[in-house]
């Protein structure tokens, strides 16, 4: 928030921070889908992001006012005019663990199935028939069945949006493979959504920095 405070008035900063805390955001990366190409639609619209589990215990925050949300959208459009992550195309930065949340859903392209986990067990969602839309990978039923075991190895973490009628898969996590490469992890055992300590982040930085 330091750079926000330097660029905006105190009153505007208070409103932006109120929205940020309500949406449970810590880093710039938290604002975007995991491919970095656009804002998470929930967050842009003033709703906590679907399918993400916060890594921190957040205090109860009252919903921001309409004027706060107006300032919030103006802030996002002003600071990110391309509506994409500033380093979305940079494979080095894509690999850095710069999120304050874990993803909850895995999508398997081979079986066209969606799996939701809570840390203890998994549920399976069936795909819905839907027209092909730009920015949408697939749509799935809100209903689910308990899935024994773990999702297939061919599945990958995805960002989703939950609407009143479906779970919409918006993007795959492009950072997963980069994390494995840069940390030298065993790909079969690596969890790319798990936070990495500061020392590990520093080791991942390119030597020229």
């Amino acid at each position: 928030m330091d750079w926000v405070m330097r660029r905006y008035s105190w009153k505007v900063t208070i409103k932006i921070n109120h929205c940020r805390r309500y949406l449970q955001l810590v880093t710039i990366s938290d604002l975007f889908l995991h491919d970095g190409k656009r804002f998470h639609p929930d967050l842009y619209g003033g709703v906590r992001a679907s399918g993400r589990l916060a890594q921190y215990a957040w205090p109860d925050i009252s919903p921001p006012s309409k004027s706060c949300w107006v300032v919030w959208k103006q802030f996002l459009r002003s600071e990110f005019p391309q509506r994409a992550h500033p380093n979305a195309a940079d494979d080095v930065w894509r690999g850095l663990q710069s999120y304050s949340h874990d993803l909850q859903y895995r999508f398997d392209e081979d079986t066209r199935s969606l799996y939701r986990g809570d840390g203890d067990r998994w549920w399976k969602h069936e795909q819905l028939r839907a027209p092909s839309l730009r920015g949408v990978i697939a749509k799935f039923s809100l209903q689910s069945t308990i899935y024994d075991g773990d999702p297939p190895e061919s599945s990958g973490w995805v960002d989703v949006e939950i609407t009143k009628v479906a779970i919409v898969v918006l993007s795959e996590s492009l950072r997963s493979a980069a994390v494995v490469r840069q940390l030298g992890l065993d790909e079969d055992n690596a969890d790319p959504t798990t936070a990495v300590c500061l020392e590990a982040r520093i080791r991942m930085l390119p030597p020229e920095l």
Side-chain angles (χ1 to χ4, degrees):
M1 286 299 294
D2 290 344
W3 61 280
V4 175
M5 296 176 67
R6 290 193 297 268
R7 293 170 59 87
Y8 295 90
S9 68
W10 179 79
K11 289 184 178 180
V12 171
T13 299
I14 292 297
K15 290 184 177 182
I16 294 173
N17 197 41
H18 187 178
C19 295
R20 180 192 68 82
R21 294 177 66 209
Y22 177 78
L23 296 174
Q24 300 181 349
L25 306 173
V26 176
T27 70
I28 290 178
S29 294
D30 286 334
L31 287 169
F32 299 91
L33 296 176
H34 274 236
D35 60 5
K37 295 180 180 179
R38 56 190 170 117
F39 295 124
H40 193 296
D42 284 345
L43 299 174
Y44 185 78
V47 180
R48 289 171 185 161
S50 308
R52 293 181 175 183
L53 300 174
Q55 295 175 347
Y56 303 98
W58 289 85
D60 292 331
I61 304 293
S62 61
S65 64
K66 290 184 179 179
S67 65
C68 285
W69 290 124
V70 170
V71 170
W72 174 251
K73 288 187 176 182
Q74 291 174 342
F75 161 71
L76 293 180
R77 291 194 297 266
S78 174
E79 296 300 324
F80 308 100
Q82 303 301 320
R83 302 199 179 191
H85 193 291
N87 300 304
D90 190 332
D91 191 59
V92 172
W93 290 103
R94 185 184 298 144
L96 297 179
Q97 289 297 304
S98 50
Y99 297 115
S100 67
H101 62 265
D102 296 324
L103 293 178
Q104 193 177 10
Y105 288 83
R106 292 183 69 93
F107 172 64
D108 184 30
E109 176 70 30
D110 294 341
T111 62
R112 306 296 293 179
S113 298
L114 185 68
Y115 302 88
R116 171 174 54 88
D118 63 1
D120 295 320
R121 64 173 55 179
W122 290 90
W123 285 264
K124 183 179 180 181
H125 298 261
E126 298 300 327
Q127 186 173 8
L128 299 175
R129 292 184 178 180
S132 178
L133 298 174
R134 182 180 180 182
V136 173
I137 296 176
K139 291 186 177 182
F140 290 85
S141 171
L142 294 172
Q143 288 70 41
S144 62
T145 57
I146 294 178
Y147 184 78
D148 293 329
D150 295 324
E153 292 184 2
S154 56
S155 65
W157 295 103
V158 291
D159 248 327
V160 305
E161 179 184 19
I162 301 177
T163 69
K164 294 181 179 180
V165 297
I167 301 174
V168 183
V169 178
L170 299 174
S171 76
E172 297 179 272
S173 177
L174 299 183
R175 300 193 173 198
S176 304
V179 171
V180 173
R181 288 196 305 273
Q182 293 184 33
L183 288 181
L185 299 174
D186 179 352
E187 190 166 0
D188 293 333
N189 298 321
D191 183 352
T193 67
T194 302
V196 177
C197 69
L198 179 59
E199 181 181 356
R201 294 189 189 190
I202 293 175
R203 289 200 304 267
M204 287 188 292
L205 292 173
E208 60 269 19
L209 294 181

